[in-house]
Amino acid sequence: MSAAESLTAALHWQSWAVFRRNALVFLRNWRTAIIPPAMEPVIFFVAFGVGFSGYIEDLDYHGAQINYATYVAAGLIAYTGFGTPYYEALYAAYVRMFYQKTWDGILATQVELPSVVWGEILWAAVRGMVNISIVCAVIAVFDLIGVVDVNVAFLVLMPFLGFIAGCAFASFALIFTAIVPAIDHMNYPVFLIGWPLSLVSNTFFPIDPQNALLRALWQINPVYQLAEAARGLLVFGNPGPHLVGLVGSTLLFLVPCTVLSTRLTRRRVLGE
Amino acid sequence: MAAAILEARGLTKSYGGRVVVDHLNLDCRPGSVLGLLGPNGAGKTTTLRMLYGFVPPDEGAISYEGMEFSNHRSEAKRMIGVCTQEDSLDYDFTVAQNLFIYASYFRPRVDNLDRRVAELLERFELTPYADASPHILSGGFVRRLLIARSIVHRPRVLFLDEPTTGLDPSARLDAWELIDGMRSDGLAIVLTTHYMDEAERLSDELLVVHEGRDVAHGEPHRVIGDLLGDHVIVIPRHEPARDRIEAWLQGRGAVQVATVLGELRVPVSKDDLLALSSEFEGASWQVRPPNLDDLFIALARRNGRIR
């Protein structure tokens, strides 16, 4: 299986059949499936954004004075855009692969392994879109009541930015899904990677590293690029260089992570 | 005799330097069942996994209807159905939805899918459970659904990996009827099983695999005869002449002596049986035709798994 075959599988009907399967399961249970992931960013927004806002002075954001809740609004979009596909590809995909043997059933058909991987990536990214949409609806309400001050019209673009980055996060997560020996070991990618990455990417507080290496690392971090692209659009109506940064950093993650996760999954599921 | 729809030649697979399948050949024809037999670790499941494309062979070729599997993978996979040993039903869906969703993994799409699903539900007696979760099904009905699902796209070759393992006798008989019905429909079926009666009754042809190699193949009774001889004598635990008989038989080259719950079971030829009768007049034993239990015991002994 070449790297090109792993990557082009995104366009195969088989990948979309796997995506469709996951989407159908979600649509059957959406009323209950949507509440917990939707509540988390809302609670964060109320606790950090609204709660801390009263104690933190306005921030200078590229020359514009914005309140802390407005700063956090874009951060929550990035946090949700990262967390939803990352955890979907970690936990939900692991359950389908290991406990439910859903992948074994699918692989006994015309669907090949790269398509199973891509079906999971695409679905996880779309789950990110769904949750970002909910967060955006909450932000719109807070804008209406004056808690935040954002360009509401640009909120409709946020799920699409989230989808781009979500593909990268899901492909990254699938590497761990393929190698963790048991679901308890998911704590490692969650607490050692997920949490730190979602906190230090200009989501809840600005970081401006002076070290050249750290700055370069920030540039290839899709969470950072997503937060900054979203903030640029919501504050200025312009993502600045971060839209290109988002696409570039996504590709930097997506290409090697998809190839690697496909190889590791093949070893785990098919014993090859 | 119909031409083989599935042909495999020289299949070889190694894991970690150990040869698991060693230059195996097999054919399967429409409307027939090929029974793949062998003790645990013989290479049956690996052979099946190569045949349905889970793992590529290190050497050898597989073709379906003359199409090389490696070059026409998608077309070949469209014509095969796979019922794995493990329960891989999709428990996020109902019984009927399992059939619909499984059909969505094939192209060209299944013609008249609604009718096909209704027909399978009916045939496999799953209609009362169509809208229920598979969680409520008994083991026998889970197996029915797994088999129904594996043929929803109207395959021409069906792989059944130990389809009745864990079923009660009644459910096993039901599964046999279903398998027999699918054979009558013209499906080419490759079956692995540990149940000897199942292999004998269902298989048109047997392929006995031992340490990855073909040790015998052909019609079930011929295979057993070739490997074990004409008869098996069973000498009870308390027969006073038992040790002497065993020594006498071993002296005549009957090396595949097995002890099962104290009974001595020895495959013998017609000539040996006649000689034994005159040598040990008065001793008591039973004579019966050899069965696949004897074959498995013989192979396992050869493999050093049992004494």
Side-chain angles (χ1 to χ4, degrees):
Chain A
M1 176 66 56
S2 70
E5 283 173 305
S6 297
L7 295 170
T8 53
L11 306 172
H12 296 172
W13 67 263
Q14 289 97 328
S15 304
W16 293 97
V18 177
F19 168 87
R20 179 176 170 271
R21 181 246 166 239
N22 292 341
L24 284 173
V25 174
F26 175 76
L27 289 173
R28 286 187 70 205
N29 310 312
W30 71 270
R31 287 179 191 81
T32 47
I34 215 163
I35 294 170
M39 287 305 294
E40 190 193 17
V42 174
I43 291 166
F44 266 55
F45 190 59
V46 172
F48 291 108
V50 182
F52 282 174
S53 247
Y55 302 96
I56 298 172
E57 288 180 8
D58 284 357
L59 300 167
D60 176 50
Y61 183 67
H62 299 298
Q65 292 297 307
I66 59 171
N67 68 18
Y68 182 64
T70 301
Y71 184 88
V72 167
L76 272 174
I77 288 168
Y79 172 80
T80 308
F82 166 71
T84 306
Y86 187 71
Y87 297 125
E88 175 77 18
L90 280 179
Y91 286 103
Y94 187 85
V95 168
R96 286 190 280 272
M97 173 189 75
F98 186 78
Y99 291 106
Q100 297 185 337
K101 308 283 179 202
T102 310
W103 293 7
D104 287 1
I106 294 173
L107 287 167
T109 68
Q110 272 177 302
V111 177
E112 302 285 357
L113 192 91
S115 289
V116 172
V117 170
W118 266 108
E120 294 292 344
I121 290 172
L122 294 166
W123 169 244
V126 168
R127 278 291 274 121
M129 289 180 84
V130 172
N131 284 6
I132 287 174
S133 302
I134 295 165
V135 173
C136 287
V138 174
I139 292 170
V141 171
F142 278 96
D143 181 80
L144 203 65
I145 59 177
V147 176
V148 298
D149 181 16
V150 297
N151 288 304
V152 175
F154 286 102
L155 285 173
V156 298
L157 296 179
M158 298 301 134
F160 300 100
L161 294 183
F163 177 80
I164 296 170
C167 290
F169 304 140
S171 66
F172 182 48
L174 283 170
I175 292 173
F176 301 106
T177 306
I179 58 175
V180 292
I183 201 161
D184 292 339
H185 295 83
M186 287 294 184
N187 287 335
Y188 289 97
V190 170
F191 291 107
L192 297 182
I193 296 170
W195 269 98
L197 200 58
S198 58
L199 289 175
V200 299
S201 302
N202 284 21
T203 44
F204 297 100
F205 46 87
I207 294 178
D208 188 15
Q210 299 306 307
N211 179 290
L213 179 66
L214 277 179
R215 283 184 86 87
L217 282 176
W218 249 238
Q219 297 305 313
I220 60 164
N221 171 7
V223 193
Y224 163 78
Q225 295 291 358
L226 178 58
E228 287 301 296
R231 197 166 285 125
L233 280 166
L234 295 183
V235 175
F236 301 115
N238 180 354
H242 297 291
L243 187 57
V244 174
L246 177 64
V247 173
S249 60
T250 293
L251 289 173
L252 266 176
F253 261 69
L254 184 62
V255 171
C257 289
T258 303
V259 173
L260 183 59
S261 59
T262 305
R263 287 194 182 157
L264 293 170
T265 307
R266 177 175 299 281
R267 187 185 301 171
R268 173 147 200 172
V269 177
L270 301 179
E272 274 293 291
Chain B
M1 188 184 282
I5 189 169
L6 160 63
E7 287 179 87
R9 294 289 175 268
L11 284 188
T12 302
K13 187 77 188 173
S14 301
Y15 286 112
R18 183 176 158 253
V19 180
V20 180
V21 178
D22 193 358
H23 294 93
L24 207 62
N25 299 327
L26 62 86
D27 294 332
C28 192
R29 294 165 218 291
S32 73
V33 176
L34 170 67
L36 204 53
L37 284 175
N40 288 335
K44 302 185 300 289
T45 298
T46 304
T47 302
L48 235 54
R49 285 163 68 88
M50 285 190 280
L51 292 173
Y52 54 68
F54 263 38
V55 292
D58 296 337
E59 282 178 46
I62 301 162
S63 67
Y64 287 93
E65 267 192 340
M67 285 188 303
E68 191 71 36
F69 189 35
S70 53
N71 295 334
H72 298 87
R73 197 174 159 86
S74 187
E75 296 98 309
K77 286 187 94 176
R78 181 63 180 80
M79 70 166 75
I80 65 180
V82 179
C83 181
T84 54
Q85 196 178 330
E86 274 197 324
D87 175 2
S88 62
L89 288 178
D90 203 328
Y91 284 86
D92 286 318
F93 294 103
T94 66
V95 167
Q97 285 169 340
N98 260 274
L99 301 179
F100 281 109
I101 199 77
Y102 204 72
S104 75
Y105 302 135
F106 292 96
R107 297 287 185 282
R109 290 179 189 278
V110 180
D111 289 337
N112 300 315
L113 182 59
D114 288 342
R115 208 169 68 196
R116 175 67 173 161
V117 168
E119 170 198 312
L120 287 173
L121 290 172
E122 188 67 31
R123 179 173 182 177
F124 286 78
E125 296 173 23
L126 289 161
T127 308
Y129 312 107
D131 298 322
S133 164
H135 281 113
I136 69 151
L137 298 179
S138 66
F141 277 83
V142 163
R143 190 55 59 178
R144 279 166 184 260
L145 180 55
L146 281 165
I147 298 173
R149 193 182 69 161
S150 67
I151 59 168
V152 69
H153 58 296
R154 300 187 182 92
R156 302 194 55 204
V157 181
L158 175 63
F159 295 99
L160 295 170
D161 194 3
E162 302 196 11
T164 62
T165 298
L167 300 188
D168 63 44
S170 159
R172 278 182 65 209
L173 292 177
D174 291 343
W176 288 4
E177 292 292 341
L178 291 168
I179 294 167
D180 190 43
M182 292 188 292
R183 166 172 49 196
S184 303
D185 290 347
L187 262 176
I189 299 172
V190 181
L191 169 91
T192 69
T193 179
H194 277 126
Y195 296 115
M196 302 303 109
D197 51 346
E198 185 166 292
E200 273 181 297
R201 283 162 202 254
L202 286 178
S203 304
D204 298 287
E205 197 174 345
L206 281 181
L207 171 60
V208 183
V209 184
H210 182 55
E211 293 179 339
R213 286 189 293 273
D214 172 354
V215 291
H217 65 268
E219 288 173 19
H221 293 292
R222 249 192 57 205
V223 166
I224 296 165
D226 286 352
L227 285 174
L228 295 176
D230 307 310
H231 305 282
V232 168
I233 60 166
V234 181
I235 304 162
R237 182 199 294 256
H238 302 297
E239 165 55 48
R242 207 181 90 135
D243 292 344
R244 283 191 296 122
I245 296 172
E246 183 179 359
W248 183 87
L249 285 165
Q250 282 181 338
R252 290 179 68 97
V255 290
Q256 296 175 337
V257 179
T259 307
V260 179
L261 294 174
E263 285 180 349
L264 203 62
R265 297 180 180 184
V266 193
V268 291
S269 66
K270 267 181 200 157
D271 294 342
D272 282 344
L273 184 61
L274 284 172
L276 185 71
S277 304
S278 55
E279 184 77 22
F280 295 94
E281 271 180 39
S284 68
W285 62 75
Q286 289 177 329
V287 182
R288 61 164 172 76
N291 59 30
L292 286 168
D293 277 333
D294 303 317
L295 177 62
F296 259 53
I297 290 168
L299 289 176
R301 287 189 76 246
R302 212 190 272 184
N303 206 20
R305 285 175 194 267
I306 60 171
R307 271 191 339 105

